[in-house]
């Protein structure tokens, strides 16, 4: 008996969903609301991505600093320095992801991007 009732509910749910989608197709307000919701979701995704990159860089810096202090016995200095480096790396990652800073070209990283001017003379 519960199976028939469950199947009946599923059928009614499918029918209601199809009726709603048909009515929503004709409503221009729904299309505008859906576009606005999609834009908001995209903004939330970017915000979560940027904040997680920033927090992760700080946590990694702090963890590496703690490990350096623990094994090398350098006191709080490893933690302080690597925490600040993690903060700087987090800011740089956020700026790169936001498009404010260009990512480095792989050729420039290897030193092949710029020729020495003494070679040309």
């Amino acid at each position: 008996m519960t199976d028939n009732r469950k199947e009946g509910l599923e059928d009614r749910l499918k029918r209601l969903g199809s009726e709603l989608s048909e009515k929503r197709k004709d409503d221009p307000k729904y299309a505008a609301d859906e576009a606005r919701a999609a834009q908001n979701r995209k903004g939330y995704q970017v915000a979560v991505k940027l904040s997680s990159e920033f927090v992760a860089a700080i946590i990694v810096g702090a963890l590496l600093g703690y490990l350096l202090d623990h094994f090398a016995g350098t006191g709080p200095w490893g933690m302080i320095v690597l925490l600040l480096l993690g903060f700087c790396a987090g800011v740089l990652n956020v700026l790169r992801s936001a498009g404010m800073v260009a990512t480095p070209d792989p050729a420039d990283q290897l030193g092949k991007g710029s020729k020495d001017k003494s070679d040309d003379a």
Side-chain angles (χ1 to χ4, degrees):
M1 178 162 171
T2 58
D3 291 333
N4 289 337
R5 185 173 179 179
K6 187 175 181 181
E7 288 176 12
L9 287 174
E10 289 176 0
D11 291 339
R12 287 191 303 185
L13 182 62
K14 288 178 186 177
R15 185 174 38 90
L16 179 62
S18 64
E19 288 176 10
L20 279 174
S21 64
E22 287 296 320
K23 290 192 183 221
R24 286 179 178 166
K25 282 183 185 177
D26 300 333
D27 189 14
K29 182 183 175 200
Y30 175 74
D33 289 344
E34 191 63 33
R36 192 176 316 115
Q39 191 70 10
N40 285 341
R41 283 191 299 269
K42 185 178 178 185
Y44 290 138
Q45 289 171 348
V46 170
V48 168
K49 176 186 169 196
L50 293 178
S51 62
S52 64
E53 284 182 1
F54 182 68
V55 170
I58 292 174
I59 290 173
V60 167
L63 183 64
L64 289 176
Y66 174 77
L67 290 175
L68 177 71
D69 287 341
H70 181 70
F71 290 115
T74 57
W77 296 109
M79 175 85 140
I80 292 170
V81 170
L82 288 177
L83 183 66
L84 290 174
L85 282 175
F87 178 81
C88 293
V91 169
L92 185 61
N93 283 340
V94 167
L95 290 176
R96 280 185 186 158
S97 294
M100 305 287 253
V101 176
T103 57
D105 188 25
D108 290 340
Q109 290 178 349
L110 297 175
K112 297 178 184 176
S114 61
K115 290 185 176 180
D116 192 12
K117 294 190 181 195
S118 64
D119 292 340
D120 294 337

